[in-house]
Each structure stands twice: as C-alpha cells, then as structure tokens.
Amino acid sequence: MDLAYLNPLFARPGPWASVYADTSRHTESTANDRRVEAQAAVRTLAAQGADEPTCRAVGAAVEALGDQHTAAGRAIFATGGEVVLDPPLLSPPAGDQVHWGVLPRVAPLVELNGEDLVCLVAYIDRKGADFELRGPSGARFSGEIAGQDWPLHRTPTGDWSERHFQTKVENTWKENAGLTAQALAAHHEETRADLVILVGGERERRAVYDALPQQLRERAVESGHGGRAAGADTRLLDEDVQRAMAAYEQGRVAADLERFEAGRGRHGGPQAAAEGVPALVEAAREHRIAELLLEPTGPDLHRTVWVGPDPDQLAVRRSDVPYLGERRPEPARADDALLRSAAATGAEALAVPAPNGPAGGLGALLRWA
C-alpha cells in the first residue's frame, strides 16, 4: 500500500478525530440510520475530549454519507473543525469505529484498503486493441492502437494467388500483434499498472502475449471472456480480473514474507528486516524502513510509544523524546506512529496474515541492513 496519500494528515498538527463508517448495507431506513450514526459518533468523540467544531464537522460528514453505493465504507479524518481526508474503503470495517487522539488512526486502512492495485486491460482483435485502466476508483478508457486494416480476412480457395493473399493476411495479423504489444508495453510503462489482462480471441491474444517483453509477460494474464466488439459480455471478464488481482496480491504477500524471514538474519545472514517495537522505532528514526508489515491482530500494534510533532520524533520511552528535540511528548499507538514515519520517508505498508507474520504483529523490510 502506497502511503503517500496520507501525507496531508501528517502535515497538520492534531489532535485528530478518526471515524470508520460501514456503507455496505442499504435499506429503506439507511438515511435515518446515518443520522443516528452521526449523532453517536459526535457523542463518542465529545466523551473522548474532542472539540466542538471538529465534532460538528465529523457529524456532518457521516450524515452526508447518506445512501452511498460507491464504496464498502469510508474513513473520515478531521481536526480543527475541518475534515481533511475522507478516503473510500474497499472492504467494510467491523462496525463503525470512532477515535480521538494525537495522531490520526490510519492503521486500519492498511487492512481495509489492502493493495490499491491497478489493472491494465487490453481488448484485442486482429486490427489492434483498446486499453482500459481498472483500479479502486473504477474503470476508464485510456487509449487505443490501430494497425493495418487490410488485408485482415482469409479466403477458402486453394488458388495460388489466393494462397499468396492469405500469406499477406497472416503477415498483417502478425504485424498488428507486434504493434499492439509495443503499444501495450509503452502504456504499461506510463501507467505503472500492477497487472495486464489480455482479452480477445485465443489466437489474437496469444500473438500479442508472445510479442511482449519478457518482464511484462510475467505480469500478463489472458482471459477468454469479453472482447473489443461493442456489446461484448464483460460479466465473466470482471470475475477473471478479480481472480487475477487476488492471486497477484496473495503472491505479493507471500514473496514479502519470504524476504522478511530471510532478512531477519536468524541463520547468520545480513539483517535486512526488523521486528518488535524498539527495533522498528530505531529503524524509523534512521529512515531505514522500506515496507512496514502489519498483522492486524498483533499485540504490538496498540503498544504505546511517545511522539512529538515531527515524524522523526518517536521513542519507546517518554524520557527518550527530549533527546529528539521535543520536551512535551504525547502517547500514541505504535502502529499509527510507525505509519506516520513510514509515510514521511516514502515507505509502503502491507497487511500480512497472522500465522506467518512478524512476532508481535509489527515488522519491516529495511532499505539497508
């Protein structure tokens, strides 16, 4: 998960109101339910010490969710009487969650939004292809490539001239597949999509696949559903895309856990990974975290650390923070504090499963040992 979009939160001082609202359920009374949820959120924030302007801003934002159908949920972050960020959620939270604290409660986003994967779909025929980008915000047309449009169709006769014509047709198909592969590779380089899905007839998509650079072939998946023609059924294609993205995410998690296990240096090798709050705090202060790993049920996530207003002002003990330039440190959750530091240095975050995750639930792949 790219953390850059959270930087507007960390650029402002707190304290912060953080609310996670479930918008996945829809009934005739949803609009009224939102009003009740908004009132409950305001009461909870006020009880936790939130100021009145921020309570009002959060209450209005929750009530304004109304009967949303665009996301499984929404996170709302507010301070100083203003909602600063309200990203949609890809998965619904486990009930509405309301927090007030010195840092925004961002850790649940890592699990609920997972990987913000982007998929580049190429609708291929013998002439070229249309390109579509699919991501968390939906799908959009993003370009096309048109090769030669003649000759494209073979004839069934065995006459020598006709056989010569059929050879030209085969050459046109091959040339168009090569042009499509080049355009697809350039489009992938521009969009930095995680996956490429090739859609169309078996022969056409296979010809494009074979013409792709080897590195891009490793990210390419073929689907026999849907097509470039107007009115093509995309329902089964949508299922293929979801399966491909799920498999990619599972593979990414497995690969990172393998790197983490190797990087812990338990067998005498270089220590390119860290786990446990003290080691992670030290790595965060030295800007060594490349990717923060969180196992959502781990006990270390809610362990208290001490922070100052800057991401580098982070310590395990309160007495340590003055040495980092802050005389009045405040307590914060370890997961939120480490995510703030990780975001400030361009690091990423990944939710990992419980059985194979780091001890205590917090770990990191490091930029250097």
Side-chain angles (χ1 to χ4, degrees):
M1 177 181 176
D2 188 347
L3 300 173
Y5 78 103
L6 297 177
N7 281 325
L9 302 179
F10 304 131
R12 298 180 59 158
W16 286 89
S18 306
V19 175
Y20 288 81
D22 183 351
T23 61
S24 63
R25 303 182 303 272
H26 307 284
T27 67
E28 293 180 356
S29 63
T30 295
N32 183 65
D33 292 342
R34 291 282 178 264
R35 285 192 292 271
V36 173
E37 292 164 7
Q39 294 166 3
V42 168
R43 287 195 301 270
T44 302
L45 287 172
Q48 294 179 14
D51 58 276
E52 186 176 345
T54 300
C55 289
R56 285 199 304 267
V58 169
V62 173
E63 189 169 345
L65 294 176
D67 193 18
Q68 283 200 2
H69 294 271
T70 57
R74 189 166 289 274
I76 297 169
F77 302 101
T79 188
E82 177 187 0
V83 174
V84 179
L85 195 67
D86 60 342
L89 303 177
L90 301 181
S91 302
D96 292 347
Q97 304 172 31
V98 182
H99 307 272
W100 175 254
V102 63
L103 296 181
R105 181 81 183 96
V106 295
L109 289 173
V110 180
E111 180 184 16
L112 296 175
N113 274 0
E115 290 291 286
D116 295 334
L117 298 181
V118 175
C119 181
L120 176 58
V121 182
Y123 297 91
I124 301 165
D125 62 15
R126 294 171 182 174
K127 188 184 297 186
D130 294 327
F131 301 134
E132 176 186 77
L133 273 180
R134 296 191 181 199
S137 59
R140 63 177 177 87
F141 175 78
S142 63
E144 62 182 341
I145 176 67
Q148 300 180 55
D149 58 7
W150 190 90
L152 286 176
H153 303 288
R154 293 184 297 185
T155 58
T157 66
D159 181 82
W160 178 88
S161 62
E162 292 300 333
R163 291 199 302 273
H164 181 66
F165 179 79
Q166 290 174 17
T167 300
K168 287 186 176 181
V169 171
E170 296 279 352
N171 289 337
T172 301
W173 291 355
K174 186 175 181 179
E175 290 174 10
N176 286 352
L179 290 172
T180 299
Q182 291 177 17
L184 182 57
H187 211 58
H188 175 264
E189 182 69 23
E190 178 184 345
T191 61
R192 311 307 301 169
D194 300 285
L195 280 175
V196 172
I197 309 290
L198 306 180
V199 179
E202 182 177 0
R203 177 167 181 170
E204 288 79 12
R205 65 176 191 266
R206 175 50 54 171
V208 171
Y209 177 88
D210 289 340
L212 290 173
Q214 177 60 39
Q215 186 175 5
L216 188 51
R217 263 185 267 173
E218 295 173 358
R219 292 178 177 263
V221 177
E222 296 183 56
S223 171
H225 301 119
R228 195 181 188 192
D233 184 9
T234 61
R235 180 178 54 85
L236 293 177
L237 171 62
D238 294 342
E239 295 177 2
D240 287 348
V241 171
Q242 290 301 319
R243 278 194 293 269
M245 294 175 78
Y248 177 88
E249 187 167 1
Q250 291 169 3
R252 163 90 188 274
V253 170
D256 282 2
L257 284 175
E258 186 175 342
R259 289 173 55 204
F260 177 76
E261 179 61 32
R264 284 193 279 195
R266 290 181 174 177
H267 305 294
Q271 206 160 4
E275 63 185 339
V277 173
L280 292 172
V281 165
E282 180 181 356
R285 290 201 302 247
E286 296 173 352
H287 300 182
R288 287 192 292 130
I289 294 178
E291 184 174 56
L292 191 65
L293 307 180
L294 296 90
E295 190 279 286
T297 64
D300 279 354
L301 274 70
H302 51 76
R303 181 172 168 179
T304 297
V305 296
W306 294 88
V307 300
D310 295 329
D312 289 345
Q313 293 174 328
L314 173 65
V316 175
R317 293 178 296 274
R318 183 176 185 175
S319 58
D320 291 342
V321 180
Y323 297 103
L324 306 177
E326 175 56 37
R327 293 187 177 277
R328 300 179 64 183
E330 297 187 74
R333 285 180 57 120
D335 51 3
D336 292 326
L338 288 167
L339 281 167
R340 180 181 69 157
S341 295
T345 58
E348 296 185 345
L350 184 69
V352 297
N356 304 313
L362 285 172
L365 296 172
L366 304 178
R367 290 190 168 106
W368 66 87

